[in-house]
Amino acid sequence: MTAEERAAGARIAVVTGASSGIGAATARQLADAGYRVVLTARRRDRIEELAAALPNAEAYVLDVTDRAAVDAFAASLDRCDVLVNNAGGALGADPVATGDPADWRAMYEVNVLGTLHITQALLPALTASGDGTVVVVSSTAGHGTYEGGGGYVAAKHGEHVLAETLRLELCGQPVRVIEIAPGMVKTEGFATTRFRGDTAKAAKVYEGVAEPLDADDVAATITWAVTRPPHVNIDLLVVRPRAQASNSKVHRTS
C-alpha cells in the first residue's frame, strides 16, 4: 500500500485551537498515532507551519464562534472520526463585582458556543463513521470555583455540562463523548492572554511550582483516551500536576 493509499484510508481527527499549546501538541500526537489530522485555528501561519511538519495533516483557518464558517468547514470534509474541542481560553481574573461583561461574553462564545457549533456541525459525520469520538477539553475550573475566576469557571462549567448532556443524549449511538479536565498547565500563551500580555502577572501563576503540567502531558492524556478500544469511554478525566491538590491549593517552593 502506498503512502497516498494509507492517507486516503486514514481516520480523520479534527483539532480546534491547534495553533499552539495543547491543541498543537494534540495534533502532533494524534498524527504520530496514525490519524490524518485537520488543524483548525484563526492563526493561519501557525497551523500551516505545523501541518507542513506532520506526516499526514492539513490546515484550515477557522473561528469556531462563526457558525457559517463552521458549517462550511464541516461540508468540506469527506469524513470525521474524532473531534477534539480544544479552542477556548480565559480573559481576566477580576472578581464578580467588577468583572467585565464583555470578557464573560467572549469566554462563553468560544468555550461553550464554539464547542456547540463545531460539535453540531460534525456530529452527523462522527455518527456515520460508526465509531466517532468527541473530546471536550474543559478545565478543573469547570468543576470547582475559585476567587477571580467567575467568568472562566462559568464558561468551563457550561462546557462540562454540554459534554455530560451530549453523552446522555447519544447513549446507544456509535459516538463516545470524552471530557478531559486539566488543572495547572504551563503553555506558551494561556496565562499571558488571560492577563492581556502582562508577562509578570502570567509568570506569577506558576511561581514556585516545580513541575506544572505542559501541553504534551495533556495531549498524551487526550491521545490515550481517544485510542482506547471503541467500547471504552473515558467519561471524565481530571489531570493535575502533583503539586496541585485543587484549584486553590498548590504547593509552591517559594
Side-chain angles (χ1 to χ4, degrees):
M1 181 180 290
T2 67
E4 290 76 12
E5 288 170 332
R6 285 195 298 272
R11 287 167 60 79
I12 294 179
V14 172
V15 182
T16 68
S19 60
S20 63
I22 293 169
T26 300
R28 284 192 292 267
Q29 293 193 28
L30 288 175
D32 287 344
Y35 284 87
R36 174 182 158 202
V37 181
V38 182
L39 300 84
T40 75
R42 291 175 297 177
R43 293 183 286 184
R44 178 185 300 274
D45 57 334
R46 298 291 295 270
I47 56 173
E48 288 185 345
E49 180 181 0
L50 178 55
L54 297 179
N56 189 14
E58 59 188 277
Y60 192 106
V61 178
L62 181 66
D63 178 351
V64 294
T65 68
D66 182 339
R67 183 54 185 258
V70 167
D71 287 341
F73 166 67
S76 75
L77 297 178
D78 54 1
R79 64 180 289 177
C80 182
D81 302 275
V82 175
L83 167 62
V84 180
N85 283 295
N86 171 72
L91 289 173
D94 299 314
V96 172
T98 57
D100 186 344
D103 286 346
W104 284 54
R105 184 176 297 109
M107 286 186 282
Y108 190 85
E109 286 278 351
V110 67
N111 289 286
V112 183
L113 295 183
T115 296
L116 177 67
H117 290 325
I118 194 76
T119 301
Q120 285 183 333
L122 290 179
L123 196 54
L126 288 160
T127 305
S129 75
D131 176 22
T133 299
V134 176
V135 178
V136 174
V137 183
S138 62
S139 168
T140 56
H143 299 268
T145 60
Y146 60 93
E147 293 169 291
Y152 184 58
V153 167
K156 283 301 185 182
H157 183 70
E159 197 173 19
H160 158 65
V161 170
L162 185 159
E164 194 172 60
T165 305
L166 182 64
R167 189 179 304 113
L168 292 173
E169 293 170 347
L170 292 180
C171 186
Q173 299 297 313
V175 181
R176 301 182 293 184
V177 180
I178 296 169
E179 180 185 354
I180 305 295
M184 180 180 284
V185 185
K186 188 175 183 179
T187 61
E188 60 192 279
F190 178 83
T192 304
T193 298
R194 183 171 201 169
F195 295 110
R196 305 182 195 286
D198 189 327
T199 55
K201 279 187 177 180
K204 281 190 173 297
V205 173
Y206 312 103
E207 191 173 70
V209 180
E211 292 180 297
L213 300 179
D214 63 22
D216 284 325
D217 293 324
V218 181
T221 302
I222 294 168
T223 302
W224 174 81
V226 167
T227 55
R228 293 312 84 205
H231 70 287
V232 177
N233 194 92
I234 308 301
D235 284 15
L236 169 63
L237 197 159
V238 175
V239 53
R240 290 187 172 104
R242 185 174 59 189
Q244 184 183 31
S246 74
N247 289 342
S248 56
K249 185 172 180 61
V250 179
H251 175 69
R252 299 179 189 272
T253 57
S254 60

